[in-house]
Amino acid sequence: QVQVVESGGGLVQAGGSLRLSCAASGRADSFPRMGWFRQAPGKEREFVAAISRSGGTTTCADSVKGRFTISRDNAKNTVYLQMNNLKPEDTAIYYCAADWSRRPTLVLTTILDYDYWGQGTQVTVSS
């Protein structure tokens, strides 16, 4: 059974750091393309960062460039989101998404591109 599970959320002061983890399992045919999205209260879910199957290609939203880094450890079937210099505006539920399709695009940045989603992990940044 496919499972996508996020962890690592919590409460942190502005300027602090947090690392989120996402374990994706259930498929042995290939490594999935992975992405991070977030949703703040009253707002739509938005793209944060994405990574290719091998981890060689990454992209992130303009709002987090220079602060967030996405990476993966395929030996552990885990993708990470290292968040530095956190701001109150980063407060949201962070969702991990996985796609096992064989599309030619290296990284996926659209919600509809992903097949599986985690339950979300809350990140709260205090000022």
Side-chain angles (χ1 to χ4, degrees), residues 7 14 19 24 43 54-55 58 61 65 91 97 99 102 104 109 117:
S7 63
R19 188 179 76 163
K43 297 183 179 180
S54 68
T58 63
K65 284 183 178 178
T91 295
D99 173 66
R102 303 299 176 89
T109 61
W117 294 81

Side-chain angles (χ1 to χ4, degrees), residues 16-127:
S17 298
L18 206 60
R19 188 179 76 163
L20 305 183
S21 298
C22 176
S25 62
R27 294 284 297 274
D29 55 325
S30 65
F31 296 116
R33 288 168 291 195
M34 304 287 292
W36 286 97
F37 295 78
R38 66 186 183 185
Q39 187 167 19
K43 297 183 179 180
E44 295 184 348
R45 193 169 300 185
E46 65 176 358
F47 169 75
V48 176
I51 191 166
S52 62
R53 296 184 184 92
S54 68
T57 303
T58 63
T59 189
C60 62
D62 289 340
S63 60
V64 303
K65 284 183 178 178
R67 300 189 298 120
F68 290 12
T69 301
I70 187 171
S71 62
R72 69 190 301 161
D73 184 347
N74 284 345
K76 298 180 179 179
N77 295 315
T78 301
V79 64
Y80 304 97
L81 184 67
Q82 178 65 47
M83 304 184 293
N84 297 324
N85 191 25
L86 283 162
K87 303 176 180 180
E89 306 91 87
D90 296 318
T91 295
I93 299 175
Y94 283 71
Y95 296 91
C96 179
D99 173 66
W100 275 273
S101 71
R102 303 299 176 89
R103 300 170 187 170
T105 305
L106 290 174
V107 292
L108 303 174
T109 61
T110 301
I111 293 174
L112 295 178
D113 287 332
Y114 289 92
D115 299 317
Y116 300 95
W117 294 81
Q119 81 288 347
T121 185
Q122 177 70 48
V123 172
T124 302
V125 184
S126 62
S127 60

